[in-house]
Amino acid sequence: MQESVMEALWKTGHISGSNAAYVEEVYESYLQDPASVPEQWRDYFDQLPTVNGGMGSDVRHSEIIEYFELLGRNRARPMVAPGEGAENIAHERKQVEVVQLVNAYRLSGHQKANVDPLNLRTKKAPQDLDLAFHGLNAADLDSVFQTGDLSFGYKESSLKGLIADLEKTFCQNIGAEVMHITNYEERRWLLQRLESSRSTPDYGAKFKRHILSRLTAAEGLERHLDSKYPGTKRFGLEGGESFIPLMDTLINRCGGYGAKEMVIGMAHRGRLNTLVNILGKNPTALFSEFEGKKLVDTSGDVKYHQGFSSNVMTPGGEMHLALAFNPSHLEIVSPVVEGSVRARQDRRDDTRGNKVVPVVIHGDAAFAGQGVVMETFQMSQTRAYKTGGTVHIVINNQVGFTTSRAEDARSTDYATDVAKMIEAPIFHVNGDDPEAVAYLTNLAADYRNEFGKDVVLDLVCYRRRGHNETDEPSATQPVMYKAIRAHKTTRTLYAEQLVNEGVISAEDAETMSNDYRAALDRGEHVAHGLVSEPDSSLFVDWSPYIGHDWQTPYDSTYPLKDLQALAEQVTSIPDGVQVQRQVAKIYDDRRKMAGGALPINWGMAETLAYATLLKQDYAVRLTGQDVGRGTFSHRHAVVHNQKDGELYVPLQNVKEDQPAFDIYDSFLSEEAVLAFEYGYATTTPSGMVIWEAQFGDFANGAQVVIDQFITSGEHKWQRLCGLTMLLPHGYEGQGPEHSSARLERFMQLCAEHNIQVCIPTTPAQVYHLLRRQAIRLMRRPLVVMSPKWILRHKLATSSLEELANGTFLSVIGDDAVDPKETKRVVLCSGKVYYHLYEAREEREEKDVALIRIEQLYPFPEEDIRVALKAFAHINDVVWCQEEPMNQGAWYASQHRMRRVVERVNEDSYLRYVGRSSSSAPAAGYMSTHLDELNKFVSAALDTSV
């Protein structure tokens, strides 16, 4: 049986076990005479796929007959010839039309569903839910039909009863979108879950009282804050209170499946409520923040950006909850959460993703509008970034700030339509029906556990106040807010429901509210299930890395003999792995480097840095768009067997029971991938986490991550991070977008010793720099302006001895000139040094000293002073850079360089030599590039000017 035909038959929605007999008859009539069957069926059969892609009837016929047999059909019944058995065929045709109606409800029922608690959404019943659309009429309502394999729990029903069940399943307070899922098993599983229960939960009195208690907490906190701190921004949850019982249900369901950790990403709306009522933040601590008390010695952040963690007890045992810190960029926290989850899963060897669950809460406008949402979805099933499925929750206020008109808010029907790109099931639910919310929450958790994929819960609610508590929303949404003012709260509606059902009395409901407010006044924890003495094994242990600074000692040396043996090991390819010709040459050269016959180049030094770290039990994770090979073909850490395409990674074979060396070519994303690696690094204290840009300037696409997390996360949130960014940088005449990693932006962001910015110029320097980053106990981000042009430059080499015995030098002085004969000192960084050096050698000039600053931040003032000390008598000092004057390091660092120059010689004055200011990063013409290069190199070396 060919899958193409099977899928085609199912996708059409025409075929199920119950109507296979009729379709088979029509099909066999079609084979004898296509004109004998109705046009609709003729078109349908004409377009069925075949094995050979053509219209071979015999092949297609045998496939379809086999399909009927797989359905368990008894084919002994004689075929009805065209024109005979008209009454039977008419009934069977009605049967097919009923099945089409069933599928129409599955496909379009959500468009009719009552998911808007304000009932402002203009609902027009989809055309395909009309009886006449399928050739049915009122006279058919009392007829009995079969409903197929996915049968609502029974085999037969009157059409009237069937429609009632379809309406209950797909058109009440739940709108399910599952028919876009092409995987048959997933779609069938979801439909069976929905249809067998008619999308209607059956909860007992105890659980209903629990839901009411959580709604009481959600509403009670907002009312308490409003009365205590009126007019203060809090981005309250009023209108979306069902989110609190949703989270409570999700935590318990996932805990029941054995989850030990849940990492939560969330923007502003409802965050404070979540902190207090779900994670158990003490209300007193929250009140202190409202009162403006300083809680940390750094900048801190507003209360609705703060993270938190706690442990709660679930049916499956203790679970650690971690709410990620986030900035005001509403969706950028999503990939950060995924990275943190993956790191926790890797730590637990949780390859299935059952022990650590990512949950990301979105606003409807941001979910539809922010591109990083798409990027995060796209990474969800890739090898490097999968986390076993994310539960996405959209708090759908039906307005984005002041934008609510559908034609302005988005181009899609729903805010959640972007999730269809990965065929995630999407469940829309009326926020005023907390039981339906809990039902879908359990279904979402079950789906993730079953299939390991993302799922979306669209909590359709409203925003009782404006964007924040200081806004007047009726100025821009008068109709919506007129309806909101007249609308009872979710808690009130549900309490009335339970009173009517006899589950609780009105007095008990009022007592529940009073008790909650009293607990807040007493400053008690009000979250359920908090663990008073948490299991510390569930935490990430950062204690060894706290309190260290740049002076923390480290040793990046490695015994020479061990280094040689390791070099030989990582350059050996097993028999049976056929290596591509150019790659074989690279490995042949590396073996010569291991034996001392060739000097060490950049790629070999980097490989040895990773190899020695692995040997010393530091794990390494390296991702980026071309990291396996290296964009400039210098790395080749992953060898592709030319016989079968299988991969061999030498660095994964350093020793038995070695730590992980994970290397992944990423999908074409900078923002989501860098945010993921940041999240991974903040949850991985030991080892090495590296992201490499394809070209350094491509980091521009991830500027939000750099600005709001990497360079400021420690200062705002006390979040340590040892992430390394490799940004290929250097002016080579390749145009504006392939030259500059925008060094000036990183330099501008440097303050309070927040990051390291380095420009190594030799293999030994990058070797020791990478090893220092892992070995030194201080954890701060490292930004490396890594090379392109000098990867294979004849002068950019090192010896094995320099790797074995050296250390990273923040400044490299000039021993090649006699200080007594020197007239000028040129300070520089990076690739421009080699241009200056080669020009000086070619001109046989002996009166210019070249001093390289290899670390631009933290600025190595004392090391520069020592390098300049031999030239203290010289007052002609220049800074030379490749970048235009308004870019590069000049503007951000000139005051620091000038200060140290004047310390050495108070008569010295630092001057600039380089390209003129430019609005573009670099010239796009090689001739212009070379002309500019020659001019400023000559100016730097010409001591007469």
Side-chain angles (χ1 to χ4, degrees):
M1 175 65 191
Q2 294 293 324
E3 185 178 354
S4 60
V5 173
M6 173 84 80
E7 286 298 312
L9 290 164
W10 274 105
K11 285 179 185 177
T12 59
H14 293 96
I15 310 297
S16 68
S18 62
N19 65 352
Y22 168 66
V23 177
E24 182 184 1
E25 290 177 359
V26 177
Y27 179 64
E28 290 178 336
S29 298
Y30 162 82
L31 290 177
Q32 294 182 39
D33 179 11
S36 67
V37 302
E39 182 179 1
Q40 179 185 7
W41 281 109
R42 187 164 63 248
D43 292 342
Y44 168 68
F45 292 132
D46 283 345
Q47 295 177 32
L48 282 177
T50 64
V51 173
N52 58 17
M55 294 305 297
S57 296
D58 292 340
V59 175
R60 186 169 57 245
H61 177 66
S62 65
E63 290 178 324
I64 295 174
I65 295 303
E66 184 178 353
Y67 170 69
F68 291 140
E69 291 173 347
L70 287 173
L71 286 176
R73 283 278 298 118
N74 180 356
R75 301 193 64 255
R77 183 174 51 80
M79 183 182 73
V80 179
E84 298 182 10
E87 182 177 344
N88 183 54
I89 289 180
H91 178 75
E92 294 284 2
R93 183 175 289 114
K94 288 288 184 184
Q95 173 69 65
V96 171
E97 289 162 353
V98 169
V99 172
Q100 289 175 322
L101 178 64
V102 170
N103 281 308
Y105 269 93
R106 293 168 175 168
L107 182 67
S108 305
H110 59 88
Q111 294 177 314
K112 187 181 178 184
N114 179 38
V115 297
D116 178 8
L118 300 177
N119 203 28
L120 294 177
R121 177 184 173 197
T122 302
K123 293 197 296 288
K124 184 178 180 181
Q127 186 180 10
D128 58 347
L129 300 189
D130 185 71
L131 288 177
F133 183 84
H134 300 283
L136 298 165
N137 54 52
D140 297 313
L141 291 175
D142 294 325
S143 301
V144 176
F145 297 96
Q146 294 178 320
T147 55
D149 288 346
L150 306 180
S151 57
F152 308 95
Y154 52 85
K155 290 293 183 183
E156 296 185 349
S157 171
S158 70
L159 180 57
K160 184 188 298 181
L162 177 60
I163 291 175
D165 281 313
L166 289 167
E167 288 282 332
K168 189 175 183 181
T169 302
F170 296 107
C171 302
Q172 296 302 307
N173 290 343
I174 288 174
E177 290 191 89
V178 301
M179 295 300 284
H180 58 281
I181 300 172
T182 57
N183 183 290
Y184 170 69
E185 290 301 324
E186 291 180 36
R187 190 173 68 247
R188 186 173 187 268
W189 185 92
L190 288 162
L191 288 172
Q192 284 182 325
R193 286 291 301 270
L194 292 165
E195 295 173 355
S196 62
S197 63
R198 312 293 191 273
S199 297
T200 304
D202 183 16
Y203 294 133
K206 181 179 179 180
F207 187 71
K208 290 183 178 184
R209 285 193 294 271
H210 177 74
I211 291 177
L212 181 61
S213 75
R214 296 291 78 205
L215 288 174
T216 300
E219 183 178 284
L221 180 67
E222 299 298 348
R223 288 191 171 184
H224 190 85
L225 293 176
D226 184 49
S227 63
K228 196 175 179 75
Y229 308 104
T232 303
K233 288 183 182 180
R234 67 176 188 275
F235 298 96
L237 192 59
E238 295 107 318
E241 291 91 346
S242 285
F243 174 72
I244 295 301
L246 184 160
M247 285 299 298
D248 185 82
T249 303
L250 182 63
I251 289 165
N252 281 286
R253 193 69 158 200
C254 292
Y257 282 126
K260 297 303 178 186
E261 296 183 75
M262 179 178 286
V263 184
I264 304 165
M266 184 181 190
H268 306 4
R269 180 78 52 208
R271 189 179 182 92
L272 302 184
N273 212 305
T274 303
L275 282 166
V276 171
N277 286 318
I278 296 297
L279 283 99
K281 184 171 184 174
N282 193 299
T284 303
L286 179 64
F287 300 156
S288 295
E289 294 176 28
F290 269 95
E291 291 161 8
K293 293 180 181 178
K294 184 175 181 179
L295 304 178
V296 295
D297 292 330
T298 58
S299 70
D301 203 349
V302 292
K303 48 192 169 291
Y304 37 81
H305 288 177
Q306 296 293 342
F308 197 79
S309 64
S310 62
N311 284 27
V312 298
M313 192 57 66
T314 76
E318 192 170 343
M319 180 192 288
H320 180 67
L321 304 179
L323 178 65
F325 295 85
N326 73 289
S328 285
H329 192 286
L330 299 177
E331 289 293 340
I332 196 63
V333 75
S334 302
V336 174
V337 164
E338 303 296 342
S340 178
V341 168
R342 177 62 176 263
R344 296 165 193 262
Q345 291 173 345
D346 288 350
R347 177 169 60 91
R348 293 177 174 275
D349 197 25
D350 179 21
T351 56
R352 177 71 171 78
N354 287 339
K355 296 179 182 177
V356 189
V357 178
V359 177
V360 183
I361 296 101
H362 314 263
D364 51 316
F367 196 71
Q370 298 293 310
V372 73
V373 176
M374 181 280 292
E375 293 186 29
T376 307
F377 273 125
Q378 194 62 268
M379 67 168 48
S380 65
Q381 291 297 314
T382 60
R383 286 192 310 135
Y385 311 107
K386 66 169 60 175
T387 54
T390 300
V391 179
H392 297 270
I393 301 162
V394 179
I395 300 180
N396 190 341
N397 299 306
Q398 307 184 74
V399 57
F401 204 167
T402 63
T403 303
S404 59
R405 293 179 66 88
E407 61 267 34
D408 296 333
R410 56 184 177 268
S411 298
T412 57
D413 190 12
Y414 294 110
T416 54
D417 283 347
V418 65
K420 292 180 181 177
M421 65 177 286
I422 60 163
E423 299 186 3
I426 302 168
F427 302 112
H428 312 280
V429 60
N430 190 315
D432 273 351
D433 187 348
E435 291 184 19
V437 171
Y439 168 82
L440 285 181
T441 301
N442 285 330
L443 178 58
D446 295 350
Y447 173 83
R448 180 198 182 270
N449 185 71
E450 183 74 18
F451 297 104
K453 293 184 177 181
D454 290 31
V455 58
V456 178
L457 286 171
D458 181 20
L459 180 65
V460 184
C461 48
Y462 57 91
R463 191 183 68 191
R464 187 163 286 275
R465 300 174 184 270
H467 175 68
N468 60 59
E469 284 66 28
T470 64
D471 286 344
E472 176 45 65
S474 61
T476 50
Q477 275 76 36
V479 175
M480 173 180 280
Y481 278 87
K482 181 179 180 181
I484 289 173
R485 285 191 293 270
H487 194 73
K488 294 180 180 179
T489 68
T490 304
R491 194 262 175 193
T492 299
L493 291 170
Y494 192 59
E496 291 174 354
Q497 175 188 324
L498 297 193
V499 169
N500 292 334
E501 292 177 0
V503 172
I504 193 171
S505 68
E507 292 76 17
D508 289 342
E510 182 63 24
T511 299
M512 192 180 288
S513 291
N514 293 336
D515 289 348
Y516 180 84
R517 286 194 293 270
L520 288 179
D521 288 334
R522 292 191 298 269
E524 297 176 357
H525 291 282
V526 291
H528 284 190
L530 282 180
V531 177
S532 58
E533 296 183 8
D535 179 0
S536 60
S537 68
L538 298 176
F539 304 157
V540 179
D541 184 13
W542 278 94
S543 57
Y545 306 92
I546 296 173
H548 295 284
D549 58 21
W550 309 107
Q551 282 68 49
T552 298
Y554 70 96
D555 181 3
S556 63
T557 64
Y558 199 85
L560 180 59
K561 288 186 178 180
D562 294 342
L563 185 62
Q564 287 177 314
L566 193 54
E568 292 173 0
Q569 184 178 346
V570 297
T571 56
S572 298
I573 306 296
D575 293 338
V577 177
Q578 183 178 325
V579 184
Q580 193 264 347
R581 181 171 56 83
Q582 285 92 336
V583 178
K585 175 66 165 58
I586 290 172
Y587 272 80
D588 287 342
D589 288 347
R590 288 182 181 176
R591 282 189 286 274
K592 294 175 183 176
M593 295 174 197
L598 286 177
I600 303 294
N601 66 10
W602 202 279
M604 182 60 165
E606 187 187 339
T607 299
L608 289 175
Y610 302 143
T612 53
L613 288 173
L614 293 166
K615 198 77 170 179
Q616 293 175 295
D617 291 323
Y618 295 93
V620 177
R621 175 181 169 91
L622 172 59
T623 68
Q625 288 160 18
D626 296 290
V627 294
R629 186 198 72 169
T631 297
F632 310 103
S633 297
H634 74 286
R635 183 172 292 121
H636 283 288
V638 179
V639 177
H640 297 255
N641 192 332
Q642 299 300 294
K643 293 188 295 186
D644 55 16
E646 290 296 312
L647 307 181
Y648 177 73
V649 182
L651 288 167
Q652 291 176 349
N653 296 274
V654 169
K655 66 174 182 176
E656 291 186 6
D657 299 322
Q658 71 171 64
F661 177 73
D662 292 328
I663 182 167
Y664 297 104
D665 290 338
S666 72
F667 70 116
L668 197 65
S669 158
E670 287 81 38
E671 185 173 36
V673 168
L674 183 57
F676 185 102
E677 299 305 336
Y678 171 81
Y680 196 102
T682 58
T683 319
T684 309
S686 61
M688 192 91 177
V689 181
I690 305 170
W691 176 73
E692 181 177 64
Q694 190 178 53
F695 284 84
D697 47 312
F698 290 2
N700 293 345
Q703 198 64 45
V704 172
V705 185
I706 296 165
D707 290 349
Q708 299 187 11
F709 287 99
I710 293 172
T711 61
S712 60
E714 180 181 356
H715 199 61
K716 293 188 296 186
W717 309 316
Q718 296 78 58
R719 296 292 286 160
L720 298 178
C721 172
L723 177 67
T724 296
M725 297 173 61
L726 302 181
L727 306 179
H729 174 87
Y731 285 62
E732 302 163 13
Q734 294 189 34
E737 275 68 60
H738 291 98
S739 298
S740 175
R742 290 293 192 177
L743 172 62
E744 64 278 1
R745 293 182 181 172
F746 291 96
M747 296 306 300
Q748 187 181 34
L749 293 168
C750 291
E752 300 177 292
H753 289 191
N754 58 335
I755 61 173
Q756 309 159 80
V757 180
C758 298
I759 312 183
T761 57
T762 72
Q765 282 286 85
V766 76
Y767 171 87
H768 290 291
L769 179 60
L770 293 174
R771 283 180 52 75
R772 180 181 76 171
Q773 181 69 355
I775 294 170
R776 184 169 58 181
L777 289 177
M778 189 198 69
R779 288 290 176 265
R780 287 196 174 112
L782 168 62
V783 179
V784 182
M785 298 286 131
S786 58
K788 299 176 290 181
W789 178 76
I790 64 176
L791 287 171
R792 297 174 182 81
H793 195 280
K794 60 186 179 182
L795 297 176
T797 60
S798 300
S799 67
L800 272 173
E801 288 75 14
E802 288 174 307
L803 272 61
N805 303 319
T807 190
F808 177 74
L809 302 173
S810 59
V811 176
I812 301 178
D814 193 345
D815 298 328
V817 296
D818 184 349
K820 295 179 181 179
E821 298 180 6
T822 302
K823 298 178 181 178
R824 174 178 292 175
V825 175
V826 178
L827 301 176
C828 62
S829 285
K831 164 179 165 284
V832 71
Y833 164 78
Y834 289 102
H835 292 300
L836 293 167
Y837 179 87
E838 289 180 309
R840 187 180 71 175
E841 293 299 301
E842 182 181 345
R843 302 176 190 189
E844 298 183 350
E845 295 180 358
K846 304 295 184 181
D847 56 355
V848 177
L850 305 176
I851 296 178
R852 284 171 275 177
I853 303 177
E854 302 273 294
Q855 178 176 293
L856 285 166
Y857 194 85
F859 189 71
E861 182 169 329
E862 182 59 22
D863 292 336
I864 297 174
R865 188 193 68 79
V866 171
L868 285 172
K869 190 174 181 180
F871 307 98
H873 60 287
I874 297 172
N875 57 19
D876 184 7
V877 183
V878 301
W879 165 258
C880 182
Q881 66 179 35
E882 289 190 296
E883 300 87 355
M885 186 178 185
N886 59 320
Q887 300 170 35
W890 173 242
Y891 277 137
S893 299
Q894 60 173 305
H895 64 291
R896 297 188 178 100
M897 291 186 282
R898 186 166 286 125
R899 182 173 62 240
V900 70
V901 166
E902 292 175 356
R903 278 184 61 195
V904 175
N905 183 342
E906 62 182 13
D907 294 326
S908 295
Y909 181 78
L910 183 70
R911 295 185 295 114
Y912 169 84
V913 174
R915 289 180 167 90
S916 300
S917 295
S918 170
S919 57
Y925 300 104
M926 180 60 75
S927 58
T928 303
H929 164 78
L930 293 175
D931 183 56
E932 292 174 345
L933 176 65
N934 291 332
K935 284 181 179 178
F936 76 73
V937 167
S938 295
L941 298 176
D942 187 356
T943 58
S944 65
V945 178

